[in-house]
């Protein structure tokens, strides 16, 4: 009964979190000091530093697979627009299978599968994106 509303609330909150992380990161890239960013976003300078480090590691200068899927879920994109963006990603990370370690983490397929598992995209949509990237 509450699950659809809860999922929508989560998706909106997560998109807000992603946007804030990206804005903090981009402000730092543009030369704004961490202290000044902290004042604007009401965080400590240490928290701003952690956000910047995390954003850099996640490649936040690019739109993420998670972000695109959530944007469609909350109604900011149509299904066709979502598929177009996911298929057109220029920073697609292929799944790599290491003979010793198995599947290496942080591939793009894993991100799609997480969206599917959480009910934000369909199996058919995952298949379309994977087919386009093979």
């Amino acid at each position: 009964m509450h699950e659809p509303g809860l999922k929508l609330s989560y998706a909106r909150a997560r998109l807000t979190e992603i946007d804030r992380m990206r804005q903090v990161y981009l402000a730092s890239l543009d030369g704004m000091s961490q202290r000044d960013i902290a004042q604007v976003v009401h965080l400590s300078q240490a928290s701003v530093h952690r956000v910047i480090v995390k954003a850099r590691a996640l490649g936040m200068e690019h739109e993420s697979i998670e972000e695109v899927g959530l944007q469609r879920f909350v109604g900011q994109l149509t299904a066709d627009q979502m598929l177009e963006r996911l298929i057109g990603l220029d920073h697609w990370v292929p799944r790599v299978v290491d003979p010793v370690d198995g599947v290496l983490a942080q591939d793009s397929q894993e991100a799609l599968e997480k969206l599917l598992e959480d009910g934000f995209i369909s199996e058919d949509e995952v298949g379309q994106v994977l087919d386009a990237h093979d």
Side-chain angles (χ1 to χ4, degrees):
M1 179 170 157
H2 294 286
E3 186 176 341
L6 290 170
K7 283 175 69 171
L8 185 59
S9 179
Y10 166 80
R12 288 179 178 150
R14 181 68 180 129
L15 285 169
T16 298
E17 180 183 344
I18 290 168
D19 182 57
R20 182 174 78 161
M21 185 183 304
R22 178 173 292 119
Q23 294 307 318
V24 166
Y25 181 56
L26 293 176
S28 75
L29 290 179
D30 286 342
M32 192 172 184
S33 74
Q34 290 182 10
R35 186 175 315 279
D36 289 343
I37 295 169
Q39 282 184 319
V40 172
V41 296
H42 301 281
L43 292 173
S44 68
Q45 184 274 324
S47 293
V48 167
H49 175 76
R50 286 190 295 274
V51 168
I52 292 168
V53 169
K54 183 176 181 180
R56 184 180 307 119
L58 293 174
M60 290 299 294
E61 64 274 5
H62 302 289
E63 193 171 50
S64 70
I65 291 169
E66 175 191 23
E67 186 176 5
V68 174
L70 293 176
Q71 286 171 344
R72 192 289 303 273
F73 187 79
V74 302
Q76 293 175 359
L77 298 174
T78 66
D80 288 340
Q81 290 170 324
M82 177 195 70
L83 289 170
E84 183 179 315
R85 285 189 182 178
L86 291 174
I87 289 169
L89 286 175
D90 60 352
H91 55 282
W92 183 264
V93 179
R95 177 160 282 179
V96 176
V97 180
D98 183 276
V100 176
D101 296 326
V103 176
L104 301 180
Q106 303 302 320
D107 64 274
S108 296
Q109 184 173 336
E110 180 182 8
L112 280 175
E113 290 169 352
K114 177 74 172 129
L115 286 171
L116 173 63
E117 178 184 311
D118 291 342
F120 293 115
I121 62 174
S122 72
E123 203 168 306
D124 181 57
E125 291 166 335
V126 170
Q128 289 180 56
V129 174
L130 293 178
D131 287 349
H133 283 282
D134 281 342

